[in-house]
Amino acid sequence: MLDTLQKARLVRFGLLGAAVLGVAVGALSSQLVTRAQEAEPQNFTVMAGGFGPNNIEVLAFAPQSLQVHRGDTVTWVNNGFHNIHFNNEPLPLVIVPEGEGEPIPQINPAIAFPSIESGATYQGGEANSGLPLPGVSPIFSLVMDLEPGTYSFLCDVHPGMAGVINVVASDVSIPSPQEVSMQAASELGATVGASIGATMELEAQTFTDESIYSGQINMGSANTGRATINQFFPFVTVIQAGESVTWNNLEGGVEPHLVGWPPVRGQDVSPIEVEGGPPILAVGPTLAPMTPDGASIAAGEAFNSGLIFPGQSYTLTFTEPGVYPFTCNIHPAMNGTVIVEAA
Ligand SMILES: [Cu+2]
């Protein structure tokens, strides 16, 4: 038998429980259903790139498109080496400005450095987050103070990587921040899933005598949507002394690669200080071409192709028998071997 006090407690607990549940359900439903403009501005997250298993990297903004109301904030999470640039066309990543003295190949300062600070109010026009260089936060946000309309942004490093923000009128209901994040996860997941299948196919196609003895190596993947599979296909090739190997970054790929040996990692830029201004981000030994296309390599000789973009190839001739490892300086998991047999 419950005494009166216990009953009173149970009733109170029951009411409290229902109230807590009600608040929770209320909060959840207000977050999960589409809605017209909230009294408070909302904060939406956009993923800039993502990583999967098997050396898969997604070079896309997710969600690719989202709706906001005027005054909402969009926060980009930079998961890779990307910038967020409200601009019509991508800019070239490496430029060689004409000027006094030796021309210096350098990372384009119009890509590298921000033209708007994170947290600022965006009112349209050209605006660039800058690159996530050492010491720069991977989180970048803007308050969208914009008339209803479509505003597109892109990553200059990865042509084709672009996204859209649709600013809609305040009385139009839009997906909640939680729904937008779910959409992002779904888009990234679908791309990674398709690429896992593609990896297996590419490996099966390239683990054949025909492929291994061809002297042809593909750098990463092509036609895997907005994903790149950062492997060499095949990663072993066998040639005779005096023959050549050609590395192909196929048309339809989305990521630059290099081929070189020994590995030179993490020295993408060699900054040159400039008084009263930002440094010149001179291309460092990781990215700098050292060995021209078509050159001959002797046993033990160091080489570096420099960046090879989709649609470009790079050929070396191996004159001496031996085992020649190679790597991609910007993708440490990309490694392979040329085996040169005596002719
Ligand atoms: Cu690579």
Side-chain angles (χ1 to χ4, degrees):
M1 279 290 288
L2 296 168
D3 65 20
T4 311
L5 187 60
Q6 282 176 316
K7 278 182 197 163
R9 277 181 181 154
L10 274 177
V11 168
R12 266 174 29 216
F13 178 78
L15 285 176
L16 185 65
V20 167
L21 197 65
V23 168
V25 167
L28 205 62
S29 57
S30 75
Q31 285 170 353
L32 288 179
V33 299
T34 57
R35 76 223 144 74
Q37 183 143 26
E38 303 279 342
E40 292 291 311
Q42 304 287 295
N43 188 353
F44 296 91
T45 300
V46 174
M47 297 302 298
F51 292 89
N54 297 21
N55 307 314
I56 294 165
E57 182 174 2
V58 182
L59 303 171
F61 292 105
Q64 201 267 325
S65 162
L66 84 158
Q67 290 180 301
V68 305
H69 292 123
R70 184 172 204 154
D72 288 344
T73 295
V74 177
T75 297
W76 287 265
V77 177
N78 205 329
N79 193 8
F81 192 68
H82 311 290
N83 68 329
I84 294 100
H85 201 167
F86 286 85
N87 206 11
N88 299 327
E89 291 290 327
L91 302 174
L93 179 59
V94 176
I95 59 168
V96 189
E98 307 254 333
E100 296 163 29
E102 273 295 291
I104 302 169
Q106 57 193 263
I107 306 295
N108 193 339
I111 297 174
F113 300 115
S115 66
I116 189 168
E117 294 304 319
S118 181
T121 296
Y122 176 61
Q123 295 180 306
E126 191 271 347
N128 176 27
S129 68
L131 288 170
L133 298 167
V136 175
S137 170
I139 308 295
F140 175 76
S141 66
L142 292 175
V143 179
M144 296 291 142
D145 184 14
L146 296 162
E147 296 289 339
T150 298
Y151 301 86
S152 44
F153 55 93
L154 52 81
C155 166
D156 291 296
V157 183
H158 299 105
M161 179 171 173
V164 170
I165 293 172
N166 291 301
V167 180
V168 300
S170 60
D171 59 350
V172 175
S173 290
I174 60 174
S176 68
Q178 286 76 10
E179 286 173 307
V180 167
S181 293
M182 296 285 275
Q183 175 66 27
S186 152
E187 289 177 16
L188 291 172
T191 305
V192 168
S195 301
I196 290 173
T199 306
M200 301 305 143
E201 263 178 55
L202 285 167
E203 287 181 347
Q205 285 164 14
T206 51
F207 291 160
T208 62
D209 280 0
E210 193 189 4
S211 169
I212 287 168
Y213 287 91
S214 69
Q216 300 284 325
I217 295 175
N218 292 337
M219 313 173 89
S221 58
N223 305 315
T224 41
R226 290 306 310 166
T228 171
I229 302 165
N230 292 332
Q231 292 180 208
F232 290 106
F233 296 102
F235 57 77
V236 172
T237 193
V238 182
I239 59 167
Q240 311 264 291
E243 290 182 341
S244 302
V245 174
T246 298
W247 286 266
N248 306 294
N249 192 340
L250 296 175
E251 197 82 54
V254 290
E255 173 80 336
H257 300 284
L258 305 99
V259 57
W261 194 260
V264 185
R265 309 223 196 268
Q267 300 175 56
D268 299 39
V269 295
S270 303
I272 301 169
E273 294 305 325
V274 175
E275 203 157 335
I280 294 171
L281 299 176
V283 166
T286 293
L287 304 180
M290 182 167 104
T291 317
D293 181 27
S296 285
I297 292 296
E301 192 178 337
F303 63 98
N304 185 353
S305 65
L307 287 170
I308 308 289
F309 287 89
Q312 296 180 337
S313 291
Y314 179 77
T315 299
L316 292 177
T317 299
F318 293 81
T319 53
E320 298 170 29
V323 175
Y324 297 79
F326 61 86
T327 190
C328 171
N329 280 337
I330 56 174
H331 301 120
M334 279 182 86
N335 295 291
T337 308
V338 177
I339 296 170
V340 182
E341 297 177 336

